């Protein structure tokens, strides 16, 4: 056995020496070396049991770095910092942090399904090329993957796919997320395009003022959606989900959207419908959104005239009448509409779940509104807005979250009184107003002072609510009395008119008898 091992070692050493000599020979006599290259490759492959795959940083004639190379770089970065001895730090465009990767001529090992592979980061000169659009034109970098020939099937069929999938996941996690808004293009006529800033909203579900049970339900729904690509494909639906957030102003609808984006690590597209000229532009904007994104239309009941029910036949006939004033008003309205958005309810419905909504995938569409009753039922039905979330007034559980956020207070003797006001007496105060009262107003203001300020505000809100109820009762009573007076006045008028009719009738009869 020792003799056989020594024989293989000597053979390997001889082959390595032969290949080294051949490389030097080919460098000095390139044309002669080309004739011998097939022979040496066959000889080398017969005794060398490993297969090598090369992934170049730039491929073909494109002037952009290879996506495959970048995916491998991201995949290897998770092991490079712990295994490689020499590292290099790069700042990748759109990344929120430094990317550590193997330095040139460094090697690390990786394991997959009990198979060991070797990755090398290599660099070679390019002395023949005098000019190139590539950075560092005199250098070409590439990754070399080496594995045993017996593992060819595992590597080709499963490992490379695993590398690209994991690399893409790491890229998405490390990317700098963005907040997009649609703005009219200055250099593109009337076209509307997306512009963006870095998305840095700090809201999370931990800091969101909401009952814990409700938060867990939403988080579970989001996780299930993000992992359901194959399921949506199986049932024949586009990989998207609609959320309707409704409730009074100040109940945290925008904060909820930010928490959802941070939880899933998605980009946010804030769609302003009033700047979209027509359905075609709306469709174009949808196509330009990326996967792993949340498309938001806030206050949809105020965006466009999409909130009313469909017009009935009588209303349409009234609009088509020959009344001169109505025609003039309609002409003036149409003249103004030329400068306004012509996005229709039908166009918006197609945007949500039409054929074009299937372009791309892994998108969440969110509508927010203060008045859900104003929205057309077709806009918010299941299948379009799949999950309806009511953002309500602040309860005691939501208050405890805010107290921890604003004051780092988890428990206090004042909590019982606040619980009584919020839950027993059901005083309605939005999380935004509660947070404003908890916010320290001066340096060194203690948490107890802020809590007492909230209690006073809740009591004032109680008195204000009582006063509003009294005013509503008083107004209702006055309206009923006014209605009663009008009814009595109307009855009195009708009685008077009836009396007049009787007198006239009697007079006519008397005149007739006198003539006879």
């Amino acid at each position: 056995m020792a003799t056989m091992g020594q024989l293989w070692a000597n053979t390997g050493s001889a082959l390595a020496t032969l290949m080294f000599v051949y490389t030097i020979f080919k460098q000095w006599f390139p044309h002669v070396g080309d004739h011998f290259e097939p022979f040496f490759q066959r000889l080398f492959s017969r005794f060398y049991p490993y297969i090598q795959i090369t992934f170049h940083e730039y491929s073909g004639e494109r002037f952009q770095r290879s996506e495959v190379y970048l995916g491998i770089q991201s995949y290897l970065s998770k092991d490079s910092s712990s295994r490689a001895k020499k590292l290099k730090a790069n700042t990748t465009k759109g990344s929120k942090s430094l990317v550590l990767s193997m330095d040139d001529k460094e090697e690390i090992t990786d394991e997959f399904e009990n198979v060991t592979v070797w990755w090398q980061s290599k660099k070679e000169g390019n002395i023949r090329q005098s000019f190139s659009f590539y950075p560092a034109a005199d250098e070409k970098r590439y990754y070399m993957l080496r594995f045993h020939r017996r593992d060819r099937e595992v590597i080709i069929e499963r490992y490379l796919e695993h590398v690209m999938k994991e690399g893409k996941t790491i890229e998405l996690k490390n990317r700098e997320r963005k907040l997009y808004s649609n703005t009219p293009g200055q250099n593109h006529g009337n076209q509307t395009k997306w512009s963006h800033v870095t998305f840095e909203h700090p809201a999370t579900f931990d800091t969101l003022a909401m009952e814990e049970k409700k938060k867990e339900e939403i988080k579970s729904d989001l996780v299930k959606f993000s992992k359901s690509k194959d399921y949506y494909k199986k049932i024949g639906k586009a990989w998207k989900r609609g959320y309707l957030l409704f409730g009074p102003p100040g109940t945290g609808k925008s904060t909820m959207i930010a928490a959802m984006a941070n939880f899933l690590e998605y980009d946010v597209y804030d769609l302003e419908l009033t700047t979209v000229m027509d359905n075609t532009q709306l469709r174009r904007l949808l196509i330009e959104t990326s996967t792993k994104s949340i498309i938001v239309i806030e206050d949809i009941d105020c965006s466009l005239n999409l909130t009313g029910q469909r017009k009935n036949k009588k209303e349409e006939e009234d609009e088509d009448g020959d009344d001169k004033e109505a025609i003039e008003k309609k002409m003036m309205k149409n003249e103004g509409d030329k400068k306004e958005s012509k996005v229709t309810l039908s166009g918006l419905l197609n945007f949500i779940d039409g054929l074009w909504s299937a372009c791309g995938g892994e998108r969440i569409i969110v509508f927010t509104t203060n008045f859900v009753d104003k929205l057309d039922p077709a806009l918010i039905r299941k299948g379009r807005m799949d999950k309806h979330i009511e953002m309500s007034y602040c309860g005691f559980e939501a208050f405890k979250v805010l107290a921890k956020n604003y004051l780092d207070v988890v428990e206090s003797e004042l909590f019982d009184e606040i619980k009584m006001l919020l839950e027993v007496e059901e005083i309605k105060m939005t999380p935004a107003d509660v947070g404003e009262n908890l916010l320290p107003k001066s340096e060194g203001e203690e948490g107890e002072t802020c809590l007492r300020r909230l209690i006073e505000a809740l009591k004032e809100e109680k008195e204000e609510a009582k006063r509003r109820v009294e005013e509503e009762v008083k107004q209702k009573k006055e309206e009923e009395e006014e209605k009663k007076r009008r009814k009595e006045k109307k009855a009195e008028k009708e009685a008077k008119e009836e009396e007049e009719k009787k007198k006239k009738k009697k007079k006519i009869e008397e005149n007739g008898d006198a003539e006879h």
Side-chain angles (χ1 to χ4, degrees):
M1 293 296 295
T3 306
M4 182 61 68
Q6 186 176 5
L7 177 62
W8 277 110
N10 293 336
T11 303
S13 177
L15 284 172
T17 303
L18 185 61
M19 289 302 296
F20 175 76
V21 172
Y22 170 70
T23 302
I24 299 299
F25 179 80
K26 185 179 178 181
Q27 183 175 358
W28 287 97
F29 305 100
H31 298 293
V32 178
D34 290 341
H35 294 289
F36 292 96
E37 184 170 356
F39 168 75
F40 280 105
Q41 290 293 343
R42 286 195 300 271
L43 180 64
F44 188 71
S45 62
R46 182 181 298 274
F47 293 97
Y48 189 68
Y50 294 97
I51 297 174
Q52 296 180 165
I53 303 178
T54 301
F55 304 90
H56 289 277
E57 183 176 13
Y58 295 93
S59 58
E61 298 299 327
R62 296 186 302 173
F63 302 142
Q64 293 182 345
R65 299 175 76 188
S66 167
E67 291 185 6
V68 175
Y69 181 91
L70 292 175
I72 295 172
Q73 185 180 62
S74 298
Y75 174 79
L76 296 177
S77 66
K78 64 185 178 67
D79 292 327
S80 296
S81 57
S82 59
R83 297 186 186 181
K85 295 180 181 180
K86 293 190 299 179
L87 298 168
K88 59 183 178 182
N90 297 317
T91 54
T92 304
K93 184 179 180 181
S95 177
K96 62 184 179 182
S97 59
L98 287 174
V99 177
L100 294 177
S101 58
M102 293 187 296
D103 201 357
D104 300 327
K105 301 179 182 180
E106 188 69 6
E107 180 181 270
I108 62 172
T109 59
D110 190 24
E111 290 190 3
F112 179 77
E113 296 183 3
N114 297 322
V115 172
T116 301
V117 300
W118 293 264
W119 284 99
Q120 287 183 319
S121 177
K122 288 185 170 285
K123 178 180 69 173
E124 65 181 22
N126 185 15
I127 58 175
R128 297 181 182 179
Q129 191 169 3
S130 59
F131 176 77
S132 173
F133 287 103
Y134 299 130
D138 59 333
E139 298 176 347
K140 284 189 176 180
R141 287 185 170 83
Y142 58 93
Y143 285 113
M144 180 177 288
L145 171 64
R146 183 163 52 91
F147 55 91
H148 200 281
R149 65 177 64 178
R150 66 172 176 266
D151 302 319
R152 175 194 289 266
E153 183 177 348
V154 174
I155 301 302
I156 300 299
E157 294 184 2
R158 297 192 292 278
Y159 177 67
L160 291 179
E161 182 180 352
H162 164 75
V163 169
M164 297 311 301
K165 183 177 179 180
E166 288 296 312
K168 188 66 175 178
T169 301
I170 294 171
E171 280 183 25
L172 290 171
K173 189 172 183 179
N174 291 334
R175 83 190 192 284
E176 186 180 68
R177 291 185 298 119
K178 297 179 175 61
L179 171 61
Y180 293 86
S181 62
N182 57 304
T183 55
Q186 296 179 352
N187 300 322
H188 299 274
N190 292 326
Q191 292 186 7
T192 302
K193 60 181 181 179
W194 294 110
S195 59
H196 67 265
V197 295
T198 303
F199 182 73
E200 296 178 328
H201 200 293
T204 65
F205 278 102
D206 292 334
T207 61
L208 186 65
M210 181 181 282
E211 296 81 358
E212 193 63 32
K213 182 179 179 181
K214 196 171 182 179
K215 287 195 285 188
E216 290 300 322
E217 178 187 336
I218 297 168
K219 287 164 64 177
S220 177
D221 189 79
L222 291 170
V223 170
K224 184 179 179 181
F225 166 77
S226 66
K227 295 181 178 180
S228 298
K229 180 180 181 180
D230 294 335
Y231 178 76
Y232 275 83
K233 184 177 181 180
K234 174 186 173 183
I235 63 177
K237 289 185 64 175
W239 190 16
K240 62 177 184 57
R241 190 156 177 80
Y243 281 74
L244 175 67
L245 309 182
F246 63 95
T251 50
K253 295 184 285 294
S254 297
T255 306
M256 167 65 81
I257 295 169
M260 291 167 64
N262 286 329
F263 180 71
L264 292 174
E265 296 185 332
Y266 283 9
D267 293 324
V268 178
Y269 288 82
D270 185 14
L271 178 60
E272 177 55 59
L273 284 178
T274 56
T275 67
V276 184
M277 294 307 298
D278 51 36
N279 295 335
T280 302
Q281 281 195 9
L282 183 64
R283 186 166 59 244
R284 186 181 298 116
L285 285 170
L286 172 65
I287 295 171
E288 291 176 356
T289 60
S290 63
T291 59
K292 292 187 179 293
S293 62
I294 299 178
I295 303 173
V296 181
I297 303 179
E298 293 198 87
D299 297 320
I300 191 169
D301 53 300
C302 304
S303 296
L304 291 174
N305 187 24
L306 304 169
T307 56
Q309 303 296 323
R310 292 171 175 83
K311 296 176 181 178
N312 57 39
K313 187 174 181 180
K314 184 178 182 304
E315 290 174 329
E316 291 177 351
E317 289 176 353
D318 290 342
E319 285 190 359
D320 293 336
D322 294 331
D323 184 84
K324 183 177 178 181
E325 184 178 353
I327 294 174
E328 289 178 352
K329 287 182 178 180
K330 190 172 182 180
M331 290 175 64
M332 292 175 64
K333 180 179 181 298
N334 290 337
E335 186 67 26
D337 285 348
K338 292 179 182 179
K339 301 178 182 178
E340 296 177 358
S341 174
K342 290 185 173 60
V343 173
T344 64
L345 177 61
S346 174
L348 187 58
L349 296 181
N350 288 329
F351 174 86
I352 300 170
D353 66 352
L355 291 174
W356 291 95
S357 68
C359 298
E362 199 170 358
R363 293 190 184 98
I364 292 177
I365 301 174
V366 180
F367 290 167
T368 72
T369 180
N370 297 334
F371 307 100
V372 68
D373 295 336
K374 289 185 177 182
L375 299 179
D376 192 299
L379 193 63
I380 59 176
R381 68 163 173 78
K382 298 295 183 180
R384 288 183 176 134
M385 293 295 105
D386 305 282
K387 192 169 183 62
H388 294 192
I389 302 174
E390 182 178 6
M391 307 297 291
S392 188
Y393 292 100
C394 189
F396 183 65
E397 284 191 43
F399 154 75
K400 289 195 294 184
V401 174
L402 293 173
K404 186 176 184 302
N405 293 345
Y406 283 80
L407 305 173
D408 288 326
V409 174
V410 178
E411 194 59 59
S412 171
E413 59 182 13
L414 298 175
F415 277 20
D416 291 337
E417 185 174 0
I418 294 173
K419 184 176 182 179
M420 176 73 68
L421 293 168
L422 289 175
E423 293 192 349
V424 179
E425 300 191 23
E426 296 183 344
I427 297 175
K428 294 181 178 179
M429 181 175 284
T430 65
D433 289 333
V434 172
E436 180 59 30
N437 283 287
L438 292 177
L439 185 68
K441 307 302 181 188
S442 60
E443 188 71 27
E445 188 174 37
E446 295 182 353
E448 186 175 341
T449 303
C450 298
L451 292 173
R452 292 190 182 280
R453 181 168 57 240
L454 174 61
I455 291 173
E456 291 302 317
L458 287 170
K459 290 179 178 178
E460 290 177 6
E461 179 60 30
K462 179 182 177 181
E463 293 299 322
E464 180 66 21
K466 184 179 178 181
R467 185 185 64 79
R468 286 196 298 267
V469 170
E470 291 175 351
E471 285 185 355
E472 288 176 2
V473 171
K474 182 180 178 181
Q475 185 178 358
K476 187 176 181 180
K477 185 178 180 180
E478 290 176 351
E479 289 175 354
E480 288 177 352
E481 290 177 352
E482 179 65 22
K483 187 177 181 181
K484 184 179 179 181
R485 282 196 299 269
R486 289 179 179 177
K487 190 175 182 180
E488 290 175 351
K489 190 174 180 180
K490 183 180 179 181
E492 184 180 346
K493 183 180 179 182
E494 289 176 350
K496 189 175 180 181
E497 289 176 351
E498 187 65 26
E499 184 67 26
E500 289 291 332
K501 287 180 181 179
K502 288 180 179 180
K503 287 180 179 180
K504 288 181 180 179
K505 184 178 180 181
K506 185 177 180 181
K507 189 175 181 180
I508 292 171
E509 290 175 352
E510 288 176 353
N511 291 336
D513 293 339
E515 289 177 359
H516 288 294

